[in-house]
Structures are given as C-alpha cells and as structure tokens.
Amino acid sequence: MKLVEAKEGIVVSVFVKPKQTKFSIAIDGDDILIFSTEEPVKGRVNKEILKALSKLFKSEVEIMSGSTSRQKQILIKNVEKNEVERLLRNLT
C-alpha cells in the first residue's frame, strides 16, 4: 500500500477502473484499486471517489494529482496512517 504521511493527512496512491458494474475498493499487492461505476466524463468518476472515500474515512478528501488520469494521488485529511491502513484492509 502506498501511503505517505503529509502535513495535512495521508496521501494515498490509487488506480481507478471506471465503468464497472459495482463500486468497490480492493488491494492487489501494493496497489489500491478503485472500481468506479461512473464513466470518465465531466469529473463523474472523481466525484464518486471523493464521496465514497470521505464517507469511508469520515474525513475531508481531495485529489492532489491525476484528476484526468486513472492513477491518482488522494489526500485524506486529519487521519492517522494506521487508521487508513486498518480501514482499507477491512474492505477485503
């Protein structure tokens, strides 16, 4: 899992797969995969990801880089690294 501590929170590297039948988050080795139900049009995928992750972590979430890419850097604010790891591992 690619988690980096930053001043504001934890930066998570994810790979997004759009147009899936069901939204889910999976861990594949060191990669965090997000399966989005939306099409990559007008930021729909990004909105779905931000909504789901902010609900999961009960914290503010923003995309730091990769807003038009499948590879994204996402900042989860005001949360501890071990809490992010625990929540992600409990999904699988």
Side-chain angles (χ1 to χ4, degrees):
M1 239 185 286
K2 297 172 189 149
L3 305 177
V4 178
E5 293 186 60
K7 190 187 302 185
E8 298 175 328
I10 304 297
V11 178
V12 181
S13 296
V14 300
F15 185 80
V16 180
K17 295 190 175 190
K19 298 195 289 189
Q20 303 297 309
T21 56
K22 181 181 174 190
F23 183 90
S24 64
I25 301 171
I27 298 173
D28 182 22
D30 273 351
D31 296 327
I32 300 169
L33 305 174
I34 297 180
F35 300 92
S36 172
T37 60
E38 295 289 342
E39 289 189 34
V41 177
K42 296 184 181 178
R44 290 180 184 164
V45 170
N46 293 339
K47 288 176 189 169
E48 182 182 37
I49 290 169
L50 293 176
K51 183 178 177 183
L53 291 181
S54 63
K55 187 175 178 181
L56 172 66
F57 296 111
K58 296 178 180 67
S59 184
E60 189 179 338
V61 178
E62 74 179 56
I63 295 176
M64 294 184 64
S65 67
S67 61
T68 60
S69 170
R70 289 180 181 217
Q71 189 72 42
K72 300 181 186 302
Q73 299 281 320
I74 297 175
L75 174 65
I76 305 165
K77 295 184 177 181
N78 303 318
V79 68
E80 298 289 325
K81 185 176 180 179
N82 59 358
E83 180 69 6
V84 172
E85 283 182 358
R86 185 183 69 78
L87 288 169
L88 287 172
R89 292 204 188 283
N90 286 343
L91 292 173
T92 57

